[in-house]
Amino acid sequence: MSKRTILSYPDARLHTVAKPVQGVDARIKTLVADMLETMYDANGIGLAATQIDVHERLVVIDVSEERNEPLVLINPEIVWASDEKVVNEEGCLSVPGIYDGVERSTAVRVTALDAEGELQTVEAEGLLAVCIQHELDHLLGKVFVEYLSPLKRNRIKSKLLKQQREEQKLDQREGRR
Ligand code: GNR
Ligand code: NI
């Protein structure tokens, strides 16, 4: 298993639309293992393949307290979403340090293949429902900040670009040593 690099907003690759996984083979199983390692290492509750620059319909989630209930969704499709909606505070590993409210359905039903390629149906509410909708957006090339006002989004963009420039400078100094 190996940890992968998570893309940071604003990065055009985060807006790529993912293609369906063609078969749950050894390559996909390695990818799932790498995504779980990357998600746990970053203390996230979910990770979409898009975030590691792999543009296939694959997400991993773990909303458990103990971090020992991995959920693997391959070719996920939301087959039902509640009309009832609620605003939740969201964050994203690709938008570090930024949290804001996003309106989502309170409950969803999803079909997907699991890590063995078996068809599963997941009924979710609460944090799991939020996370599923957040991750499926990533597969469509959508980052949660796109639900915010253009003013907020532009402020977030500037702040992250500045942070990334500072990090680059530090990395360069490190490299020269
Ligand atoms: O770790 C994460 N926490 C989170 C909190 C509220 C709503 C959504 C999320 S998902 C996020 C991990 C991530 O960026 N997944 O794409
Ligand atoms: Ni995210």
Side-chain angles (χ1 to χ4, degrees):
M1 292 214 297
S2 49
K3 200 177 85 174
R4 308 282 190 107
T5 305
I6 298 174
L7 300 178
S8 287
Y9 185 84
D11 185 315
R13 293 171 289 182
L14 285 170
H15 304 302
T16 311
V17 178
K19 295 194 165 72
V21 167
Q22 290 299 347
V24 183
D25 54 12
R27 180 181 69 88
I28 294 299
K29 287 176 186 180
T30 300
L31 189 53
V32 166
D34 287 357
M35 285 175 63
L36 284 167
E37 185 180 352
T38 305
M39 174 186 74
Y40 287 126
D41 183 78
N43 291 316
I45 59 167
L47 186 74
T50 309
Q51 293 177 276
I52 58 162
D53 201 22
V54 172
H55 303 288
E56 298 179 61
R57 293 188 61 82
L58 182 54
V59 315
V60 296
I61 292 175
D62 191 340
V63 295
S64 74
E65 220 35 64
E66 310 263 276
R67 325 256 326 121
N68 58 1
E69 291 173 36
L71 180 65
V72 176
L73 302 176
I74 299 170
N75 295 342
E77 298 295 342
I78 294 182
V79 293
W80 174 81
S82 64
D83 291 335
E84 190 192 354
K85 296 190 174 164
V86 67
V87 174
N88 305 279
E89 194 80 350
E90 294 196 16
C92 181
L93 294 172
S94 295
V95 194
I98 307 289
Y99 303 87
D100 212 330
V102 176
E103 187 181 75
R104 307 262 190 201
S105 290
T106 57
V108 294
R109 185 180 305 128
V110 183
T111 61
L113 302 180
D114 65 17
E116 276 72 52
E118 301 288 332
L119 192 61
Q120 59 179 336
T121 301
V122 178
E123 311 239 0
E125 54 176 31
L127 184 59
L128 180 58
V130 174
C131 190
I132 287 174
Q133 291 169 83
H134 175 112
E135 302 311 339
L136 269 66
D137 270 353
H138 276 302
L139 299 181
L140 295 173
K142 185 151 188 174
V143 180
F144 86 95
V145 297
E146 291 170 69
Y147 290 107
L148 308 178
S149 70
L151 177 65
K152 275 190 181 178
R153 190 162 58 248
N154 284 326
R155 283 181 177 156
I156 291 167
K157 229 180 248 182
S158 305
K159 185 175 177 179
L160 291 179
L161 281 172
K162 184 167 170 232
Q163 272 175 11
Q164 288 160 25
R165 280 196 302 271
E166 299 299 329
E167 277 161 28
Q168 249 178 19
K169 269 194 230 163
L170 288 174
D171 288 349
Q172 270 168 15
R173 273 179 223 155
E174 190 100 358
R176 271 193 222 108
R177 261 196 254 131

